[in-house]
Structure formats: C-alpha cells, structure tokens
Amino acid sequence: MFGIVRPCSHRLSEGLKASWMAHLCGLCLALRSDHGQFSRIVTNYDGLIVSVLTEAQAERGTGWRRTAGPCPLRGMRTAPVAKGEGARLAAAVSLVLASAKVRDHVADGDGVLKRRPVAFAARRIAGGWDRAGARTGAELGFDTAVLVDAVDRQTGIEALAGPGTPLLAVTEPTETATAAAFAHTAVLAGRPGNMAPLAEAGRLFGRLAHLLDAVEDQTADAASGAWNPLTATGTSLAEARRLADDALHGIRLALRDAEFVDDKLAHVLLAHELRTSVDRAFGTSSCSHVGEASVQGGGNPYGGQGGNPYGSNNPYGGGDPSGGNPYGGGNPGGPGGGGPDPLPQPPRPERRGFWAGCAVAIGLCCTCKLCCAKEYEGPWSRKRREGCCRDCDCDCCDCGCDC
C-alpha cells in the first residue's frame, strides 16, 4: 500500500470516505479479477486516482458499483466497490509501474534480490506483470508502451545526471507516464476535451510523486549510498519545495479547465490531500494524532526551553539540577570529570528486500493493521505509516479555495 495521497479519515466526510474506499477496493479486486490473487500486492493509493478521475467525468449509470464480499481489511464486511473501465485502467497502470519498481530493485541488488535465483524469479514476475498490464491496457485502448518507455529512459537519465543537472530533467519520465494515464481517463469517460488539462494535471502529479519520494528518502539514501535525485543534482530542499508548490498550483488550475459530472472526491484528493502530502514530506505541518512535540517549540515538548525540561526557573541554579549528569555530578564512576560519552543512537533500520517486504505486507493485511492501526511500519521502507481508516480527533482541514 504505497503512494503519496493517503487521506486521513477525519478529513473526509462519510460519503467521500466511502467513495474513496470503494475505489481502493475496486482497484484491488480489478487486479484479482484480471490478473490473479498475487497481483493484488501492487494495490496503491495513487493508482486509484485514475479510477476516481474516470468516474468523476462519466455520466452516472446503474452499473458503476457492485457489492463485494467480506474482506479482512474491511473487518470481514461487505461493501460497495467501484467497477468498470476506470478500475481496470488503474490496475493496468499499477501493474506496469510496479513491474518497473521490481526491476529497479533487481538492478540495485536490494536485499535478497542480490541472490541470482531470487532475482531471476523477480524478473519473471515483473515480465508477467508487464504483459498483463499491456493486455488490459490494449482492451481499454491504452498503450502501456509509453509507461515502459518512460521507465527505461529513467535509468539512462539518472546515469547522466550530476551537479547542475536540472531536477525537472530527472522527473520528466515520471511526468510523461502519469500524464498519459490521466489523459486516457478522459477517453474512457467520453470527454476528449478533458485530455489536455488532465494530461497537464497528470504531468504535475508525476513531478510531485518523484519530488516527495526523493525528499522522504534523502536521509536514508545518504546513509546507504543509494542514488537520490536531490543529492545527485545538488538541489536544495528550498528549491524542491518551490517546485512542489508550483506543481500544486498548476494541478488546481488544470482541474478548473476540465469538465466533470461530480468532482468532489477528485478535488479533495488532488487539491487538498496533495497539499497535506507535501507538508508531511517537508515536515511543515502536523495533526494532533501525530503528537504535540512537533507543534510546540520546534520539536521541543517543553515549549521552547532549548531542549531543557527544567527551564530557567530551576531551583537548583539554572538548567539541569544534576549539572548535566543524571547521576548527580560529573562522571558517574567518580567525582568530577565530564561524564561518559553519550550513548550511541540505534542505527536506522535498513529497507527490507522485496520478498521480505511482501511477507510483512501479507501479515499487515491479515491483521488489519493497514486499515485500522494508528501507526504501523511500512513493509518495505520501514517508515512509520498511518492506517487508512483509523480514527483521529484532529480538526485541521484548511480548505483555502472555493470547494
């Protein structure tokens, strides 16, 4: 369950939350129906936007929802789920892009993929996903070759990139792929006039996806020696934030130029949740369920005392009553001295390999943590994630536009 658009349930009305879950489950079940059970592991939050956009443009009919059977991620409850060409296009795009992700991990030799037998099996699976995505895409009139070509060009661009290379040259293949997918939703919905604005929205969405992934992974990539576009091109976080804000503004303008039947969910996801995703990646916003420490005092839970919980009114004479040593003065092994060296911090956990991550993902699905947990560890990245349906008591929805 990867992606940059992960809406908090408190920011969606009951109707929009039900609709969002209908598209998420519809993508998952479209993958199962067309490509088998194993393909469901490529279900992702961003892929469902293709389904949302298709439905937002289409005239309402009687066959755009169906009732799905019980599922562990829904607490073994039935639910209405999206069906039709939008969900199938989202499935095809998700398969092809997941295939590219697997091949990238194989090329980098990540985790267990360093072993030849495992790498061989992973390449076979990726090739199968490519062919399956191409078949579904062809049935829908969408040529997935544009996605494959974009992924293939990405490797060459990254190999040539260096200090001074424009960051947008690195993000171009991702922009091209997402622009094609967004534009084809207009074809499926019978609104060819929407192709140009949605292609622009898709291009900027791809730019954002690439930028935010680079920002979130920069520290971990530096520790592991992995390639990162910000580090490789020498792009500052300030410049990355400027590009992200420009992309957000451009997406809103592009959506205004498109014609929709009902764009409520598409607007919330692409106009508001994207803003939240950018703030989350750059660490410029917080919610009450994340914790108050990041709100007060720039990360200091004691309210701006420079990291000193005792403040300046300490009856022991300013600052730490023990003179900086919690054991009562200097070196705990004897009088005086500067005390022992600080304890080493635990190392940052390494990313899991593809198959180990799959095993963890299955466990998260079976225990419903992906859906209901306040927080869980990402199966591959090991970053802290939020369950898509967990409750929360925040009141931090700031619209900022005429919805």
Side-chain angles (χ1 to χ4, degrees), residues 44-387:
N44 65 94
Y45 296 123
D46 295 343
L48 70 87
I49 292 177
V50 172
S51 178
V52 170
L53 284 174
T54 304
E55 186 177 286
Q57 301 170 77
E59 296 294 339
R60 290 293 179 264
T62 57
W64 57 298
R65 288 284 189 273
R66 72 178 181 87
T67 301
C71 175
L73 289 179
R74 294 191 298 267
M76 299 308 295
R77 295 187 297 268
T78 61
V81 301
K83 72 172 193 174
E85 293 181 331
R88 297 186 68 205
L89 177 62
V93 171
S94 296
L95 276 172
V96 175
L97 296 182
S99 168
K101 197 175 187 72
V102 170
R103 289 199 302 271
D104 184 56
H105 284 305
V106 171
D108 292 342
D110 293 336
V112 295
L113 294 177
K114 294 178 182 178
R115 302 175 182 176
R116 289 186 179 180
V118 179
F120 175 77
R123 280 193 293 267
R124 290 288 298 272
I125 292 172
W129 285 347
D130 276 335
R131 293 187 293 273
R135 284 196 305 271
T136 300
E139 294 173 5
L140 300 172
F142 179 67
D143 187 2
T144 59
V146 66
L147 306 184
V148 176
D149 175 69
V151 171
D152 291 341
R153 286 189 295 107
Q154 186 73 54
T155 303
I157 290 173
E158 291 181 358
L160 296 174
T165 300
L167 184 60
L168 298 188
V170 180
T171 64
E172 180 273 324
T174 307
E175 296 177 19
T176 300
T178 50
F182 275 43
H184 198 70
T185 65
V187 176
L188 295 181
R191 293 186 180 272
N194 284 349
M195 289 184 65
L198 290 184
E200 177 67 5
R203 183 179 68 82
L204 296 173
F205 181 85
R207 178 182 300 178
L208 267 179
H210 204 133
L211 282 173
L212 300 191
D213 184 64
V215 170
E216 291 179 342
D217 292 347
Q218 188 173 27
T219 302
D221 288 343
S224 64
W227 194 90
N228 184 281
L230 298 180
T231 305
T233 60
T235 303
S236 66
L237 286 177
E239 174 63 10
R241 180 61 193 252
R242 185 189 69 80
L243 292 172
D245 288 340
D246 285 348
L248 284 169
H249 183 63
I251 288 173
R252 289 194 176 195
L253 294 179
L255 291 177
R256 289 178 186 175
D257 292 337
E259 295 182 3
F260 296 99
V261 174
D262 182 359
D263 68 338
K264 291 186 181 68
L265 181 59
H267 178 80
V268 167
L269 295 179
L270 292 174
H272 302 301
E273 289 302 329
L274 268 181
R275 165 64 65 183
T276 302
S277 299
V278 171
D279 288 339
R280 181 171 57 234
F282 285 92
T284 55
S285 71
S286 61
C287 285
S288 61
H289 67 278
V290 177
E292 296 295 331
S294 60
V295 181
Q296 302 174 359
N300 173 16
Y302 297 98
Q305 295 295 334
N308 175 16
Y310 299 97
S312 59
N313 296 322
N314 174 20
Y316 295 95
D320 190 335
S322 59
N325 178 8
Y327 296 96
N331 190 333
D341 292 335
L343 293 175
Q345 296 296 316
R348 179 186 296 271
E350 296 182 358
R351 290 176 61 92
R352 291 189 181 93
F354 176 74
W355 295 111
C358 288
V360 174
I362 291 171
L364 290 172
C365 288
C366 293
T367 58
C368 298
K369 287 188 176 181
L370 283 175
C371 186
C372 304
K374 287 279 187 183
E375 194 177 68
Y376 64 90
E377 187 179 82
W380 286 278
S381 67
R382 306 188 81 163
K383 295 177 182 177
R384 306 311 299 176
R385 304 293 189 193
E386 300 166 349

